Amino acid sequence: ASTLGASAAQSGRYFGTAVASGRLGDSAYTTLLDREFNQVTPENEMKIDATEPQRGQFSYGNADRIVQHAASHGIKVRGHTLAWHSQQPGWMQSLSGSTLRSAILNHVTQVATHFRGQVTWWDVVNEAYADGSSGARRDSNLQRTGNDWIEAAFRAADAADPNALLCYNDYNIDNWNDAKTQAVYRMVQDFKSRGVPIDCVGLQSHFTGGSNYPSNYRTTLSSFAALGVDVHITELDIRNAPTSAYSSVVNDCLAVSRCKVITVWGIRDSDSWRSGESPLLFDGSGNKKAAYNAVLTALNNG
Ligand code: G3I
């Protein structure tokens, strides 16, 4: 097939991109979006500060615009993200304890309910583990409400939208030998053993050159999959977009039957949060880069 989405669809997979609602009026952008991708993740529009800027007052306009654009082009939506220590509105940052606990669970319930039936996958919880060798949870106001806050968020999302696929999403869980990877693995294993509703794990996969793209990435993907969850590559970008690293990531996903989604974190280099690093598949003028061709070839050969 001749596009990323259609090539991924040959094996029942999705190839997506982060999108920004503010760019939906740019026809060069939407031309690439609608032609190449069969999945989108709102880059900022479903975050807590965007959807509940004042406590109990919800704001869905920009997110709805993305959802509607996607629906009218047959594109699936990944919701990002219901619970996160970052991008919290000021009112939430100032809460703690049982008040915060109620507020975050109400947030999960309200937002998942609003988008019920329109969001295929939710990043229910984002980035809850610490970097480094501790294997511990990240300290945050949410973590300080009790160690079970993550499963409470998953249960709330499941109650609000029983058909959505519920994912845990994090960065630096790519290397199978890292303590952070092992800690997330144990959490998923525990959730599966106790019937906590979790369907998928997202590996953000923001890579610098080839250097933090680990040679055991495929082992990580297949190990999570063996727990009975799908695995998704959710925010892929690679400094300077080396063709070899991009094709290896795609080949690693294709080698794991439960690796169902690859999402790049933006369309053109100029759209990227790392725009100085040329990490994406299209240049600032919307031209296909060598990495695009490498990815397309890998998808078609898989
Ligand atoms: O929209 C405002 C604009 O009105 C204002 O003038 C401008 C001035 O700073 O800020 C704009 O908001 C920025 C927004 O991006 C849209 O460009 C925020 O300040 C900025 O913080 C925000 O950054 C986003 C970041 O998450 C926030 O944490 C990036 O776009 C987004 O790519 C990035 O994505 C995260 C994932 O959600 C989670 N994983 C890591 C990834 C990269 O950091």
Side-chain angles (χ1 to χ4, degrees):
S2 62
T3 67
L4 301 169
S7 300
Q10 293 172 147
S11 62
R13 291 179 168 86
Y14 294 90
F15 201 99
T17 179
V19 293
S21 59
R23 294 194 170 90
L24 292 176
D26 170 355
S27 64
Y29 181 82
T30 54
T31 297
L32 294 173
L33 169 61
D34 301 342
R35 186 185 77 206
E36 295 288 343
F37 300 97
N38 59 356
Q39 181 272 325
V40 292
T41 306
E43 188 172 358
N44 290 296
E45 293 79 353
M46 290 186 181
K47 292 174 178 174
I48 311 174
D49 58 354
T51 51
E52 195 178 358
Q54 304 298 330
R55 189 172 182 186
Q57 293 180 14
F58 292 84
S59 165
Y60 295 118
N62 288 332
D64 284 344
R65 271 185 273 287
I66 293 175
V67 168
Q68 262 135 42
H69 184 96
S72 66
H73 292 86
I75 298 172
K76 302 276 194 211
V77 177
R78 174 189 213 85
H80 174 81
T81 175
L82 294 170
W84 191 19
H85 68 276
S86 185
Q87 298 292 109
Q88 292 182 0
W91 66 265
M92 186 177 281
Q93 292 177 38
S94 69
L95 297 185
S96 62
S98 59
T99 317
L100 175 60
R101 175 79 157 217
S102 312
I104 190 67
L105 294 180
N106 180 60
H107 180 83
V108 170
T109 299
Q110 295 297 325
V111 178
T113 299
H114 176 81
F115 292 107
R116 180 163 51 206
Q118 300 177 290
V119 161
T120 305
W121 312 267
W122 267 114
D123 288 332
V124 178
V125 171
N126 194 39
E127 302 177 356
Y129 277 81
D131 291 310
S133 59
S134 71
R137 294 282 181 82
R138 171 195 298 278
D139 180 51
S140 72
N141 62 344
L142 296 173
Q143 180 61 27
R144 291 191 291 269
T145 68
N147 204 49
D148 62 344
W149 74 274
I150 298 181
E151 64 185 90
F154 274 83
R155 292 188 197 279
D158 185 53
D161 187 354
N163 293 324
L165 297 167
L166 306 181
C167 308
Y168 176 80
N169 192 54
D170 214 330
Y171 65 90
N172 285 350
I173 56 167
D174 314 296
N175 189 321
W176 178 239
N177 296 324
D178 282 353
K180 187 173 177 181
T181 310
Q182 291 295 315
V184 173
Y185 178 85
R186 286 193 300 274
M187 177 191 73
V188 176
Q189 188 175 46
D190 171 55
F191 281 13
K192 293 300 285 184
S193 75
R194 291 189 295 111
V196 178
I198 184 169
D199 303 293
C200 32
V201 173
L203 286 70
Q204 292 184 10
S205 308
H206 296 291
F207 293 132
T208 37
S211 66
N212 69 338
Y213 165 61
S215 56
N216 59 24
Y217 189 66
R218 189 179 299 193
T219 300
T220 306
L221 294 172
S222 61
S223 300
F224 276 114
L227 292 175
V229 289
D230 286 343
V231 284
H232 301 154
I233 297 168
T234 52
E235 304 182 16
L236 180 62
D237 50 20
I238 314 179
R239 182 186 293 164
N240 299 324
T243 54
S244 56
Y246 260 110
S247 19
S248 294
V249 168
V250 171
N251 285 328
D252 287 343
C253 180
L254 295 179
V256 176
S257 62
R258 293 199 77 146
C259 182
K260 296 292 193 191
V261 184
I262 302 174
T263 308
V264 288
W265 205 240
I267 301 178
R268 304 164 301 198
D269 285 334
S270 50
D271 301 318
S272 172
W273 70 301
R274 306 164 72 182
S275 57
E277 299 180 25
S278 307
L280 295 174
L281 302 180
F282 293 89
D283 69 20
S285 305
N287 299 306
K288 295 171 180 174
K289 294 165 60 178
Y292 172 97
N293 293 316
V295 167
L296 187 71
T297 300
L299 289 170
N300 278 295
N301 290 343

